[in-house]
Every structure is written in C-alpha cells, then in structure tokens.
Amino acid sequence: MADLRSEEEQLDVVKRWWKENGTSLIAGAVLAAAGVFGWNAWQNYQEGQSEAASARYQQLVTITAANSLEDDQLAAARELIGELTDQHGRTLYAELAQLLEARLAVQEGDLAAAKAALESVADGSSRRYVQSLAWLRLARIELAEGNPEAALELLDQPITDTLAAQQANVRGDAHLALGQPEQAREAWQAALEIAQTQNQPLYGVQFKLDDIGAEEANQ
C-alpha cells in the first residue's frame, strides 16, 4: 500500500507539473519547429540568391568577353553590374562585377570611374584576394595617371602572397617611372623568381629586364 501511495503521489506530481508547464513546453516545441523551418527557409532563400547572382555574373562575363563592346552590349553589362551590386552587394559576384566595371571604364578611358569601382572593392571587401586585385589595378591606374609614388603606396598594402609576382612587377614599373632603374631591375627579377617558384606565368617581365639592360649598355 505504501508503494501504491508513493506511485499515486508521484503521478499526481507529474500531473500538476504538466498542467503548469505543459503549455509552455508545447509552445517551445512549436517555436523550435518554426525555428528549424525558418532556418531551412532562410537557407533555401540564400541558395536561391546565390544561384541568381551566379547566373547574372555568368551573363556579365559572356557579354564582356570581347575587347570592345557595342553600345547595347555595354548598356546590358552595366545593367547587370547594377543588379549585382544592388541586389547581391555582399556576395563575391558583386565584387567581381565591380572589378569588371573598372575594366570597362578603363577601356572607355574613364579612369576616375575605374578608380571609384576599385576603391569600393578595396575598402569594402573582406576577401583578401579580391582586395589585392583591386589594389594592384589601382596601382596600375596611378601609374597611367603619372603618379608612381601613389602606386608604390598601394603596393605596400597587405597583398596576398598569391599575387606577389604581379605586385613585384608593378613595383618595378613604378620605380622605372621614378627614374630608378636599379630598383626596377630588382623588383622585376624578384617578380620572375616568385613566378617561377609559384609556377605562375608572368608575361613581359623578361622583355623589361632586357630593355633596361640594353639601355644601360648604350649609355
């Protein structure tokens, strides 16, 4: 009888506890299920957004593959760039679109627009490789505008080691523009050595070294 009484009391305790807490438990279970559903919906939305950005970027790459674009192609490219930066601004595709925007601006001779696009990537990207590409291209624009000192400042940014050969190459160009052939030679030689170590093609650097050697031989 004592055992039965004990069991009855325990059952009564369980009943009272369920009466007091059952509703909140059910609510919690519902919220947890809603949370899982919401997370899955968010994941699906993100995947859809990524696929949409990827598709638009592929369209952009296809349109801009030619060295020169017709007016309608240029307009279509700019529309896609606008969509990517406005609707998918935090994605890699938006940043790559801005790099392409800069390239198109350079082809049109609009270096100010090119710099604006590249500065946006350099300042806003959290991806070091993409940032590094932007810094390198900004340095080349500074050289084109006759500002080798500004180019060297950009080359002092923490550019990824993957682009170290290109960094040394542009550094050599900047030193030559400053009338510093010895520093230019050292930078270009370093560029070739890095490219060989990393098994990367680096075109034109040997010609620069040959040219600077020929100039010095004729002096």
Side-chain angles (χ1 to χ4, degrees), residues 132-149:
S132 298
L133 283 175
W135 284 323
L136 282 172
R137 294 178 186 182
L138 279 168
R140 290 192 177 102
I141 289 177
E142 292 293 354
L143 280 173
E145 292 185 325
N147 303 317
E149 295 93 347

Side-chain angles (χ1 to χ4, degrees), residues 162 165-166 169 191-192 194-205:
T162 309
Q166 292 84 347
N169 182 20
L192 287 179
I194 296 169
Q196 186 175 7
T197 300
Q198 296 181 343
N199 196 26
Q200 293 179 352
L202 192 63
Y203 304 107
V205 177

